[in-house]
Amino acid sequence: MIRDLTSADVPALVDLLEVMAAESIYSDFGLHRERTAFILADILGKPGVFAQGEEKDGKIVSILLGEITDHLFFDGSVASELLMYAHPEYRKGMGSKRLIDKFCAWAEEEGADFAQFEASVGVDNTRAGRFFTVCGLPECGTVHSRRL
């Protein structure tokens, strides 16, 4: 079931994001649980913020957070995915595609001109890119990173 995320979900979201951090390029740093909880509690339920997750058997297994902002240089607005993650055991289902569809529908209803997603934490970026393309989000750039 796809549903809105609320402040009551923060502890479960922090646990899920700890799994994400462990398989990301940032795994050496670990998840800053307190900061993550603070940020989630602050943005959940705010206007202009999309926050939904997939729940199975009472457990949040995938999430999508995003916001709409004016483009920095152009006269248009962009709905940007801030965070999208699915627990490894639940990546074969349709939950992530449903979240993307709901996000894009929300963004269009809110008047956004573009919806943008990126794979930038090193969790199989190639597969994520193919998935986004299948979901109707063609590639329009890349993200490059160097550990310092």
Side-chain angles (χ1 to χ4, degrees):
M1 166 182 75
I2 304 293
R3 65 171 180 81
D4 290 334
L5 299 172
T6 70
S7 58
D9 295 314
V10 169
L13 294 173
V14 171
D15 289 344
L16 179 61
L17 294 177
E18 195 155 49
V19 176
M20 179 192 77
E23 68 172 322
S24 78
I25 61 173
Y26 306 107
S27 61
D28 292 350
F29 301 98
L31 183 73
H32 192 298
R33 293 181 64 88
E34 294 80 17
R35 182 184 316 140
T36 301
F38 175 82
I39 291 169
L40 289 170
D42 185 53
I43 67 172
L44 293 178
K46 278 194 172 176
V49 173
F50 179 93
Q52 291 192 355
E54 178 187 19
E55 186 177 310
K56 287 191 173 184
D57 301 321
K59 178 180 174 183
I60 298 171
V61 299
S62 61
I63 61 173
L64 197 163
L65 304 177
E67 67 178 345
I68 297 174
T69 59
D70 290 333
H71 191 280
L72 188 59
F73 302 113
F74 304 109
D75 187 21
S77 61
V78 180
S80 299
E81 163 262 341
L82 300 171
L83 170 71
M84 182 171 186
Y85 183 71
H87 191 283
E89 295 174 11
Y90 295 91
R91 290 186 185 153
K92 298 284 186 195
M94 294 295 293
S96 293
K97 176 162 183 353
R98 285 189 203 105
L99 284 169
I100 288 173
D101 290 344
K102 286 182 170 283
F103 177 79
C104 290
W106 169 82
E108 189 171 7
E109 288 170 11
E110 294 291 317
D113 298 298
F114 290 93
Q116 290 187 330
F117 286 73
E118 65 178 58
S120 62
V121 296
V123 180
D124 200 346
N125 291 343
T126 301
R127 187 182 75 185
R130 284 193 308 264
F131 174 71
F132 289 146
T133 299
V134 167
C135 290
L137 300 158
E139 185 177 342
C140 67
T142 60
V143 175
H144 300 264
S145 177
R146 175 192 299 177
R147 181 151 183 187
L148 304 174

